[in-house]
Amino acid sequence: MDNLIDYESTLLDHHLPPFTDYKGLAKDGIRIISNASGNYIFDNEGNKILDAMAGLWCVNIGYGRDELAEVAKEQILRLPYYNSFFKTNNIPAANLSKKLSEITPQGLNHTFFANSGSEANDTIIRMVRHYWALKGEPQKRIIIGREYGYHGSTIMSASMGGMVDMHNQAAKENDFHHIPAPYSFKYKGNQSEDLFAETSSNWLEEKILELGKDKIAAFVAEPIQGAGGVIIPPNGYFEHIQEICKKYNILFIADEVITGFGRTGEWFASQKMNLSPDMMTLAKGLTSGYIPMSAVMVGEKVANTFIEEGGEFYHGFTYSGHPVAAAVALENLNIIERENLITKVSSETIPYFASKIKALNDHPLVGEARSFGLLACVELVKDKSGPELFSNVGETGMICRDFCIQNGLMMRAVRDGMIMSPALTITKNEIDEIINKFEIALEQTMKKII
Ligand SMILES: *Cc1c(COP(=O)(O)O)cnc(C)c1O
């Protein structure tokens, strides 16, 4: 059935995939992933590939779960859709918001639903505007983020539309500024970890003072930066950051789209790292990617202001709180609980994964191999001493990535860092398989680049 389609011409003639150089794609061709099971994906040529990325950091419970298909089918038959604009709600969305308030850090008790991480972050930007306007400080508009921070790709969509009420709560020029990431591999040099935690968090204070402290609305950060290359902050970094946010009365937003739902060995990295965000972004692992859904967790300070002060929040999506997505999300969370995945991951899988990643530091091509929970990055370098990086950034990473795929291993390259983010269901044998295949790819890469 599927196989009758002429994939090559169909895709190149009609489908424009995201984050793609279309000219390059026309030259290289495209791989069709046709089915998946457990932690493996299969392409239409019959290749079996171990998925060390859990899709795109999202398939936390692995592929092929009947339960999710069952609840989706049941919910589609019962109530496939109804909006929540007309003072209406549906049962799965109501139950999911209750469940999320139980598993997220204390104080985050309200949920606003959207369909993607990008939309959830757009929602947060508008909420931040709404909050400071209600507080009588509408000049607080600037949101400070970080170099290599990734928060999605739709941020400015509302500004392109013509709804004036929405514009006032949306983005203007100069609303976003960035500080360097706490990227030890790049910036730490000879500093101790404690000192680097101070230096790198002070970048926030310097930026606040540079821009004017009464204009700053919020600081946003992924606890571990994912798409930026699995950047793990030094111990103490967020402690300082949170003090600075308090000192200047700015909201602290944790984007947990990747780090949520067990990936760090707790429900959320905020719990693991002792963070108390005012708002939190959730997506990806919320449904394990089986169906699109995202959520903004809103803390008491912000939610109570909305509820007490009133004034319409001009924002929402047709599919906010979609009943089928919410039913799938709830069952996904049930599975994580029923199978004790978080305990299992923190007591067994993460320590095993960490020891295997650490051992890669001995390889001549590896400048640094680091991991946090089930997130890892292996930085490839030209010369370990120094270390000396490759001058043509990204080329070696791409070569290594292609060898990985050829060997039946799906990994991602960010610059020359090789990224892993396996499912919570990854077994020790599968971790061994990842490492074996990756080591072969490292050898092949070395041969090719000298
Ligand atoms: C993927 C990601 C997003 C964007 O999510 P989409 O569903 O792709 O819009 C936002 N923040 C982080 C940290 C992400 O990793």
Side-chain angles (χ1 to χ4, degrees):
M1 173 192 66
D2 284 354
N3 296 334
L4 295 178
I5 299 171
D6 177 351
Y7 289 109
E8 208 84 345
S9 79
T10 304
L11 280 145
L12 296 179
D13 287 351
H14 304 295
H15 183 201
L16 300 173
F19 289 97
T20 296
D21 169 353
Y22 301 113
K23 189 173 176 189
L25 185 68
K27 183 161 97 8
D28 298 343
I30 198 158
R31 180 185 302 273
I32 305 293
I33 305 302
S34 45
N35 57 298
S37 171
N39 296 315
Y40 290 88
I41 51 178
F42 298 85
D43 69 18
N44 67 324
E45 289 167 0
N47 295 308
K48 179 181 179 186
I49 302 170
L50 178 53
D51 187 6
M53 275 306 293
L56 202 47
W57 330 78
C58 56
V59 187
N60 286 14
I61 60 168
Y63 298 96
R65 298 285 195 153
D66 289 348
E67 304 97 311
L68 297 194
E70 293 303 324
V71 298
K73 178 182 173 190
E74 214 174 278
Q75 186 58 44
I76 285 171
L77 295 174
R78 190 192 312 268
L79 178 72
Y81 175 73
Y82 195 71
N83 73 67
S84 39
F85 285 44
F86 304 156
K87 299 185 179 169
T88 47
N89 199 359
N90 64 72
I91 293 166
N95 286 340
L96 181 59
S97 47
K98 175 162 183 286
K99 181 75 192 171
L100 289 173
S101 78
E102 288 162 10
I103 62 174
T104 51
Q106 243 195 339
L108 295 168
N109 293 329
H110 295 81
T111 312
F112 188 102
F113 288 112
N115 309 289
S116 68
S118 306
E119 288 178 4
N121 280 322
D122 258 31
T123 302
I124 285 182
I125 294 164
R126 187 166 281 126
M127 277 186 173
V128 166
R129 305 273 183 271
H130 188 43
Y131 174 76
W132 287 118
L134 290 176
K135 283 283 179 191
E137 298 201 68
Q139 82 289 353
K140 277 184 177 263
R141 293 187 66 87
I142 293 175
I143 297 178
I144 299 177
R146 298 183 300 174
E147 166 197 35
Y148 301 129
Y150 184 73
H151 303 294
S153 62
T154 67
I155 300 285
M156 307 294 275
S157 60
S159 299
M160 289 195 295
M163 303 289 186
V164 175
D165 285 330
M166 292 178 79
H167 280 176
N168 292 336
Q169 292 172 354
K172 284 186 187 156
E173 215 184 325
N174 254 329
D175 277 354
F176 301 96
H177 291 265
H178 302 89
I179 59 170
Y183 191 5
S184 304
F185 182 66
K186 188 170 170 186
Y187 297 124
K188 180 167 161 288
N190 296 326
Q191 298 173 72
S192 69
E193 184 164 351
D194 280 352
L195 182 59
F196 184 59
E198 259 181 62
T199 325
S200 54
S201 53
N202 281 341
W203 290 328
L204 176 60
E205 183 157 22
E206 287 159 21
K207 185 56 94 180
I208 292 170
L209 295 175
E210 173 199 321
L211 296 168
K213 58 183 193 285
D214 52 346
K215 290 189 194 150
I216 314 299
F219 173 69
V220 60
E222 301 153 82
I224 308 290
Q225 285 173 268
V230 184
I231 297 171
I232 304 166
N235 275 322
Y237 173 79
F238 276 113
E239 220 179 290
H240 292 302
I241 286 281
Q242 292 184 106
E243 282 163 13
I244 294 167
C245 290
K246 274 212 182 77
K247 179 171 169 191
Y248 294 100
N249 191 20
I250 68 183
L251 297 169
F252 173 49
I253 299 157
D255 184 338
E256 291 237 28
V257 169
I258 286 177
T259 49
F261 304 102
R263 186 152 293 288
T264 67
E266 294 268 2
W267 271 112
F268 298 94
S270 287
Q271 291 144 343
K272 185 93 191 160
M273 301 166 86
N274 217 358
L275 312 183
S276 320
D278 294 300
M279 287 194 254
M280 198 159 112
T281 324
L282 306 177
K284 296 194 170 117
L286 172 60
T287 57
S288 282
Y290 277 62
I291 204 162
M293 183 176 229
S294 66
V296 176
M297 294 308 298
V298 185
E300 292 297 334
K301 184 163 90 182
V302 174
N304 288 342
T305 303
F306 292 172
I307 294 165
E308 283 157 20
E309 302 290 327
E312 182 172 347
F313 181 52
Y314 294 106
H315 183 73
F317 303 102
T318 302
Y319 299 132
S320 286
H322 196 284
V324 180
V328 169
L330 274 168
E331 184 59 17
N332 172 56
L333 302 182
N334 280 342
I335 289 175
I336 293 175
E337 283 184 333
R338 215 160 49 225
E339 299 183 1
N340 269 320
L341 286 178
I342 296 179
T343 315
K344 191 162 154 266
V345 158
S346 73
S347 64
E348 294 173 33
T349 320
I350 289 174
Y352 190 74
F353 184 64
S355 71
K356 292 287 170 175
I357 295 295
K358 193 159 174 240
L360 292 169
N361 275 301
D362 295 335
H363 196 280
L365 198 56
V366 174
E368 180 178 279
R370 58 178 179 269
S371 72
F372 190 100
L374 289 178
L375 288 165
C377 176
V378 182
E379 303 263 9
L380 307 184
V381 292
K382 189 160 176 217
D383 188 343
K384 271 177 103 71
S385 62
E388 188 188 343
L389 309 187
F390 292 103
S391 48
N392 197 348
V393 177
E395 196 177 50
T396 309
M398 204 42 76
I399 291 170
C400 184
R401 188 194 116 103
D402 288 345
F403 280 128
C404 288
I405 298 175
Q406 260 178 44
N407 299 338
L409 172 66
M410 187 55 82
M411 282 180 64
R412 179 173 181 185
V414 173
R415 298 181 293 282
D416 292 310
M418 303 305 298
I419 305 292
M420 297 179 214
S421 167
L424 310 187
T425 50
I426 198 86
T427 64
K428 288 183 183 173
N429 281 340
E430 287 165 346
I431 291 173
D432 290 344
E433 187 184 333
I434 291 176
I435 299 295
N436 292 339
K437 288 182 164 166
F438 181 55
E439 282 177 335
I440 294 169
L442 285 177
E443 294 311 312
Q444 292 167 317
T445 305
M446 285 232 290
K447 281 211 190 84
K448 173 139 188 189
I449 60 174
I450 46 172

